[in-house]
Each structure stands twice: as C-alpha cells, then as structure tokens.
C-alpha cells in the first residue's frame, strides 16, 4: 500500500492537490448523490461499485485540466477505498466527453506543452489505477473523449454513441493515446482512415469492430448493464480481480510467449492467496465462496 501511494506522489505534486484535501466519497447503494467536486460527481450506487460521472454539461463534458485533476483525485480515492472493487466512468446521455477544451490549448507553445508534459496526466487511469474501470459511453466521445473511453478496461456504449479522433481538422493529431489504442482495437488501415480524415464512427460500429464489448439502445439500458457488470465483478475476490486486470493489460505490452509466461507466474502466485483456497474449496463443496480478499 505504501508503495502504491509513493508511486502517486509525483502526479499528486504536479496537480498541487494535497492528499488531505481529497474529497470524501460517501457510500450510497440507494441514491446517486453529488459530492464536493465541481466538474464530476462521485457515488457508490451498488455494493462494491464506485461511479464517476463527468459533469460539465454546458461544455458537453469537454476535458480540461481542472476536470482531469478532479477525475484523477476521485480515481485515486476509489482505488484506495476498501469498499470499492470496480469503477464505472460515464458522462451524460448527450455526451461522454465531446473532446478536449480547445480554448485551454489553442495558444500553447511547444516549450510550454513539452516542459509541462501537457495531457500526460490524462493517462493516469491506465498507469496508476489497479481496479477495473468500466466506461459507459453515450452521445459524443470525440478527441480526448474517445481517448478517455479507450483507456477504460471494459467499454460499453449506446448504439447511437458518436466516437472519433477529429484532431486532423484542427491541424494536429491525437495526443492522449488515440493513435495507439484505436489502432490496436480496430487495425492499422481502419484507424489510419479515421485519423487522417477525422471521420467519426457510431456506437453500433464500435461494437461490430471490437472497440466496445457491448452496445445498448439507450442511456438507461447502458447504465443498468454497466452497473450490473460492475456489481458482478465486485462479487469476486479482490485479489483475483486485480491479478486478472494485470495479466490482460500485459497482453498489450508483451509478445505472446512472454505474455503467457507472465500470466503463468501470476497464476502460480495466486496459490499463495487465501481466496484461492476459499474458492476451490467452495467449488468442491458446491457452496458460494465467502471471500477474505486476502
């Protein structure tokens, strides 16, 4: 645990947000109450599930540095929370995130962007958060919004969701991983076409191409499914959940042979956990396991 907090210190100091100032997340499995953030809302709508809702409605949830600071703060709090095993990240029916805040970056110089590592902190959820994140996308997910959605571990969306990397139309390119993650998801040729033309693609196409795990007719159906899946995952051993996320993510970084060896080592290590013994004993006795999370 101490090592996890040490790894977060450089990011926290960059944001100038002291740990003591992190907002408290109130547990609630019956109501979605707004917490003390300006640009996001946080709740615990189901047992073991934390939810973060982007909340800049007038800007269609456009991503800005203040919003990202709040998002990273909430993610860190949920990642450290003993009551949360899975996080759901969503926006509104109209927009997940319609892109980056262009006004914030329009006049940046190269030296300013480079020396401040501009938008590097946007990838915090992929580099520091150990618990699974389910993205629930409805409406616009463009530019940085599309990149944020692609960072999630599981992506659900409505059929009418609007994805895209239109940066080429602004004289630039994706900067938060869009060219890399989209290409891995849909292949070089299709990603090249989308990024070079700036054309979008629908939620229905996202499902057909493998960008999204599942698609849904409307926002209500989307959220119900995302929360149900999150609750199902949260019902498993926290030790196994974390290990499963780790090995799947490694498949994106390692050649197949190295990835299989890495998976096997993590598999072996789980035989040192109490929950492996609990799970296998419960299976043999045809009982429901009572996880210790140890």
């Amino acid at each position: 645990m101490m090592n996890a907090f040490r790894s977060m210190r450089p990011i926290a100091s960059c944001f100038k947000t002291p740990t003591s100032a992190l907002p408290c997340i109130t547990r609630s499995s019956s109501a979605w109450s707004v917490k003390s953030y300006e640009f996001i809302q946080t709740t615990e709508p189901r047992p073991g599930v934390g939810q973060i809702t982007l909340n800049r409605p007038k800007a269609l949830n456009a991503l800005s540095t203040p919003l990202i600071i709040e998002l990273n703060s909430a993610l860190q709090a949920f990642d450290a929370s003993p009551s949360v095993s899975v996080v759901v990240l969503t926006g509104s029916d109209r927009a997940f995130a319609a892109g980056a805040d262009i006004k914030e970056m329009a006049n940046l110089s190269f030296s300013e962007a480079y020396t401040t590592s501009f938008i590097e902190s946007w990838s915090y959820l992929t580099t520091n958060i150990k618990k699974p994140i389910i993205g629930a996308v409805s409406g616009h997910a463009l530019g940085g919004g599309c990149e944020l959605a692609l960072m999630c571990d599981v992506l659900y969306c409505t059929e009418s969701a609007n994805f895209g990397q239109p940066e080429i139309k602004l004289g630039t390119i994706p900067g938060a991983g869009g060219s890399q993650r989209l290409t891995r998801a849909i292949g070089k040729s299709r990603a090249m076409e989308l990024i070079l033309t700036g054309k979008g693609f629908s939620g229905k196409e996202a499902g057909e191409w493998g960008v999204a795990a599942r698609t849904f007719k409307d926002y209500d159906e989307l959220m119900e499914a995302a929360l149900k899946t999150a609750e199902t995952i949260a019902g498993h051993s926290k030790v196994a959940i974390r290990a499963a996320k780790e090995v799947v993510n490694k498949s994106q970084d390692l050649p197949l042979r190295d990835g299989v060896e890495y998976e096997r080592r993590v598999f072996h290590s789980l035989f040192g956990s109490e929950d492996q013994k609990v799970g296998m004993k419960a299976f043999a006795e045809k009982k429901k396991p009572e996880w210790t999370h140890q």
Side-chain angles (χ1 to χ4, degrees):
M1 181 60 75
M2 287 303 296
N3 288 335
F5 277 111
R6 289 191 187 102
S7 68
M8 293 176 181
R9 283 175 185 166
I11 293 174
S13 63
C14 177
F15 297 154
K16 299 179 181 179
T17 306
T19 304
S20 60
L22 295 180
C24 241
I25 295 179
T26 305
R27 291 189 295 276
S28 172
S29 59
S30 60
W32 294 9
S33 53
V34 179
K35 302 304 179 283
S36 54
Y37 292 105
E38 184 178 356
F39 303 114
I40 65 172
Q41 297 174 359
T42 59
T43 57
E44 293 185 21
R46 303 281 178 90
V49 180
Q51 180 176 323
I52 301 174
T53 304
L54 305 182
N55 188 36
R56 283 188 77 196
K58 292 182 179 179
L60 295 179
N61 293 333
L63 303 176
S64 63
T65 297
L67 183 150
I68 294 297
I69 289 173
E70 290 191 354
L71 173 60
N72 288 340
S73 171
L75 285 168
Q76 178 179 336
F78 275 141
D79 207 41
S81 171
S83 66
V84 170
S85 296
V86 186
V87 177
V88 173
L89 176 61
T90 190
S92 67
D93 183 6
R94 189 180 178 193
F96 176 72
D101 193 329
I102 303 303
K103 293 179 181 178
E104 181 180 7
M105 65 177 73
N107 295 319
L108 273 180
S109 67
F110 163 75
S111 60
E112 288 173 326
Y114 182 67
T115 58
T116 62
S117 297
F118 181 60
I119 77 172
E120 182 178 355
S121 62
W122 293 24
S123 298
Y124 182 73
L125 74 165
T126 67
T127 57
N128 289 273
I129 305 304
K130 304 302 182 184
K131 295 175 181 178
I133 301 172
I134 299 176
V137 175
S138 179
H140 300 298
L142 302 172
C146 184
E147 291 172 307
L148 185 64
L150 290 170
M151 293 178 201
C152 296
D153 298 305
V154 178
L155 179 58
Y156 286 176
C157 67
T158 59
E159 293 178 356
S160 60
N162 177 30
F163 294 91
Q165 299 290 164
E167 289 87 352
I168 198 77
K169 297 179 181 179
L170 302 177
T172 186
I173 63 171
S179 66
Q180 307 303 299
R181 294 189 177 91
L182 188 60
T183 301
R184 281 168 169 75
I186 65 177
K188 176 186 174 182
S189 182
R190 184 170 279 157
M192 190 75 81
E193 178 189 34
L194 292 171
I195 291 171
L196 287 175
T197 63
K199 292 181 179 178
F201 57 99
S202 69
K204 185 175 184 296
E205 289 171 317
E208 293 171 349
W209 296 347
V211 175
R214 295 171 62 190
T215 62
F216 303 90
K217 291 183 179 180
D218 56 40
Y219 183 71
D220 290 340
E221 188 177 316
L222 166 71
M223 291 308 302
E224 177 59 30
L227 292 172
K228 184 176 181 180
T229 296
E231 190 173 7
T232 297
I233 295 171
H236 299 311
S237 162
K238 291 180 181 179
V239 180
I241 292 170
R242 179 166 174 165
K245 172 172 174 170
E246 181 179 345
V247 295
V248 173
N249 280 339
K250 279 295 181 181
S251 74
Q252 304 301 293
D253 302 328
L254 299 174
L256 179 60
R257 180 173 179 177
D258 293 339
V260 170
E261 290 181 356
Y262 186 91
E263 176 194 72
R264 189 181 305 119
R265 295 296 177 265
V266 176
F267 169 71
H268 290 163
S269 72
L270 288 177
F271 283 87
S273 73
E274 291 181 19
D275 279 350
Q276 177 268 331
K277 302 297 184 289
V278 168
M280 293 192 175
K281 184 173 185 292
F283 178 83
E285 296 176 354
K286 298 182 179 180
K287 296 179 180 178
K288 184 177 180 179
E290 296 183 5
W291 306 115
T292 66
H293 306 296
Q294 300 293 320

